[in-house]
Amino acid sequence: MSFDDLVVEPPAAARRLLGATLRSGPVAVRIVEAEAYGGDPAGPWPDPASHSGRGRTARNAVMFGPAGVLYVYLSYGTHTCINVTSGPDGTASAVLVRAGEVIDGLEVARARRPAARSDTDLGRGPGNLGTVLGITLADYGTPLFDPASPIRLELDGAIDAAQIASGPRVGVSTAADRPWRFWLPSSPAVSAYRRSPRAPLAAAPAVVPGAGGRVRRNSRGSAMN
């Protein structure tokens, strides 16, 4: 698998990342929750909630580049958030990795997050995940499919759609009901959904069609964006 798997629309890229392994030094996590973001109005996926929603800047420039590159930013000036660029080169989009299960380097992960109540909590939420993986702003622009990179993304086989849930994004005040957050309900590392208090009230609960015509309701997410 390679970056070609991520040269797709944002929701498809987010679903493709579920179950993938993200390695940073001695710690590796299995991605269990991801959130898609589009780009500016001139692109195919306009998204006012995205960092690239108003066009290219020095901060978001990597989002306009090729897929499979690390986009890192600070949330509230404190928490390092990890994103994987997606879509074709020149078109802005990326996926925020919201949660992961630690599958390697558990002792290092515990030392980095001593306040975690359990191993399940170590990588729950994007800020916690950045801490556990030891990723900083200095890692901005890292090519994730380069074997020589200190941070690498390993895509396994795609997970069946019936095993994936989706719902509204967390912590955004615009386009809050766009069902572009995806997660694996079987994982205890996925955290509780919290809607931004600045987001307009939804007219009805967010639902998305499930496999076989069923309707799947949102139930889990994360508190931090």
Side-chain angles (χ1 to χ4, degrees):
M1 304 296 179
S2 70
F3 71 91
D4 290 330
D5 292 78
L6 301 179
V7 185
V8 292
E9 63 181 1
R15 289 191 294 268
R16 187 66 187 84
L17 286 179
L18 294 177
T21 299
L22 185 60
R23 296 185 179 275
S24 177
V27 179
V29 301
R30 175 177 180 255
I31 298 173
V32 297
E33 183 181 359
E35 195 168 74
Y37 286 89
D40 60 285
W45 310 300
D47 187 355
S50 175
H51 286 181
S52 58
R54 295 184 180 180
R56 185 192 299 259
T57 67
R59 179 197 193 195
N60 66 30
V62 72
M63 292 183 70
F64 290 81
V69 176
L70 190 67
Y71 169 46
V72 186
Y73 67 87
L74 288 182
S75 176
Y76 302 111
T78 304
H79 306 288
T80 302
C81 293
I82 303 165
N83 301 257
V84 178
T85 62
S86 59
D89 193 356
T91 301
S93 64
V95 178
L96 171 65
V97 183
R98 296 199 60 85
E101 301 169 343
V102 178
I103 58 174
D104 202 3
L106 188 57
E107 292 305 317
V108 175
R110 288 170 176 164
R112 288 174 173 169
R113 285 211 64 231
R117 293 171 296 178
S118 68
D119 291 347
T120 296
D121 289 336
L122 287 170
R124 177 184 286 146
N128 294 334
L129 188 64
T131 298
V132 160
L133 288 169
I135 292 176
T136 70
L137 292 179
D139 297 309
Y140 178 101
T142 299
L144 298 173
F145 290 105
D146 184 343
S149 289
I151 305 170
R152 299 181 306 282
L153 180 65
E154 302 166 6
L155 296 178
D156 298 321
I159 291 179
D160 187 273
Q163 300 178 43
I164 298 174
S166 65
R169 297 182 291 192
V170 177
V172 294
S173 58
T174 57
D177 295 306
R178 190 175 294 189
W180 278 14
R181 194 175 99 265
F182 303 89
W183 66 93
L184 300 179
S186 60
S187 173
V190 179
S191 53
Y193 168 76
R194 290 194 180 101
R195 185 181 182 85
S196 168
R198 297 172 296 157
L201 293 176
V207 296
V208 294
R214 297 188 300 273
V215 173
R216 184 181 297 117
R217 295 181 181 273
N218 171 57
S219 61
R220 310 190 75 180
S222 177
M224 193 182 306
N225 187 34

